Amino acid sequence: EIVLTQSPGTLSLSPGERATLSCRASQSISSSYLAWYQQKPGQAPRLLIYGASSRATGIPDRFSGSGSGTDFTLTISRLEPEDFAVYYCQQYGSSPLTFGGGTKVEIK
Amino acid sequence: EVQLLESGGSLVQPGGSLRLSCAASGFTFSNYAMSWVRQAPGKGLEWVSLICGNNGVTYYGDSVKGRFTISRDNSKNTLYLQMNSLRAEDTAVYYCVKSSGLLLKNWFDLWGQGTLVTVSS
């Protein structure tokens, strides 16, 4: 099983600041089968990034993904009020599919 | 409109059974793998099971293997999750999720709103 560790657990930032979220895998994720999801309170998760760096349809370009192998990053270049939420990474390259524990981005 | 609508969640006693359903619309259901993902209250996401779009090949997380069964009826555009021998730790919101392709190695591109399963005496 591939274990995904997200850090930090909570990120306290102000609107307009840059957010950098980390996702580290316990073993290499082949072909960058890594996705990022955003979840707001009371809502279902929403796909942001797939293939480690491809933005999903309708996702603003302030969201970007990077990385390969075991180290991946989600960057939000300038936080908007609607971006404060919990973010999860997920690997979909092998079963069992696994999620990271999440990073909460909160308003400072 | 592309959407997934779950149903079947309820309060059930430990050791009991429950079947969840997910009605899909707005896309060619048989062309995509489908999953169930759950989220315990205040916790993170946990993948439960996946079924491929055409050949019915299934995959399960270790915590539910042997107790839960995923299935689909492509003629009815419906996904199911049969849950047996339920435990308190199965209490969660269960999301029906569409994959971006037919088989395992695809990301999740559409989520339902979820249905709550509570296991308690």
Side-chain angles (χ1 to χ4, degrees):
Chain A
E1 173 176 331
I2 298 177
V3 176
L4 299 179
T5 302
Q6 291 187 241
S7 62
T10 302
L11 201 50
S12 298
L13 295 168
S14 300
E17 290 193 293
R18 181 185 187 91
T20 303
L21 287 65
S22 173
C23 175
R24 179 162 290 178
S26 60
Q27 56 187 279
S28 183
I29 297 175
S30 60
S31 302
S32 297
Y33 290 131
L34 193 285
W36 291 92
Y37 303 89
Q38 176 194 66
Q39 187 178 34
K40 298 179 182 179
Q43 296 185 16
R46 175 176 73 143
L47 174 68
L48 297 176
I49 301 287
Y50 62 91
S53 60
S54 296
R55 266 188 307 277
T57 302
I59 301 303
D61 59 7
R62 63 180 181 274
F63 290 92
S64 63
S66 62
S68 62
T70 60
D71 289 296
F72 300 86
T73 300
L74 175 69
T75 302
I76 311 171
S77 59
R78 296 172 311 279
L79 282 164
E80 297 287 342
E82 62 268 27
D83 299 337
F84 292 92
V86 179
Y87 293 83
Y88 295 95
C89 60
Q90 180 223 3
Q91 69 82 19
Y92 51 91
S94 63
S95 183
L97 308 182
T98 50
F99 290 90
T103 291
K104 181 179 181 180
V105 179
E106 65 176 23
I107 300 176
K108 185 175 182 180
Chain B
E1 182 187 2
V2 179
Q3 67 175 8
L4 300 169
L5 188 61
E6 303 97 333
S7 61
S10 70
L11 172 64
V12 61
Q13 291 190 338
S17 297
L18 202 61
R19 188 175 85 155
L20 305 182
S21 298
C22 171
S25 59
F27 61 96
T28 305
F29 183 68
S30 59
N31 285 354
Y32 299 95
M34 298 292 297
S35 284
W36 291 97
V37 173
R38 68 184 181 184
Q39 187 169 36
K43 303 298 184 182
L45 302 171
E46 180 189 12
W47 171 74
V48 172
S49 182
L50 179 146
I51 184 167
C52 295
N54 56 352
N55 56 19
V57 172
T58 58
Y59 303 85
Y60 295 93
D62 288 343
S63 63
V64 306
K65 203 173 294 184
R67 299 188 300 125
F68 290 11
T69 302
I70 191 171
S71 62
R72 64 193 297 161
D73 186 335
N74 288 340
S75 68
K76 295 183 178 179
N77 292 344
T78 303
L79 177 72
Y80 302 100
L81 185 67
Q82 177 66 44
M83 303 185 293
N84 298 332
S85 304
L86 283 161
R87 307 165 180 167
E89 54 265 36
D90 295 317
T91 294
V93 172
Y94 284 73
Y95 293 103
C96 171
V97 188
K98 171 186 171 291
S99 287
S100 57
L102 192 61
L103 302 175
L104 176 70
K105 297 183 180 183
N106 288 282
W107 57 93
F108 295 159
D109 63 0
L110 179 67
W111 296 65
Q113 281 306 301
T115 187
L116 177 62
V117 173
T118 304
V119 184
S120 175
S121 55

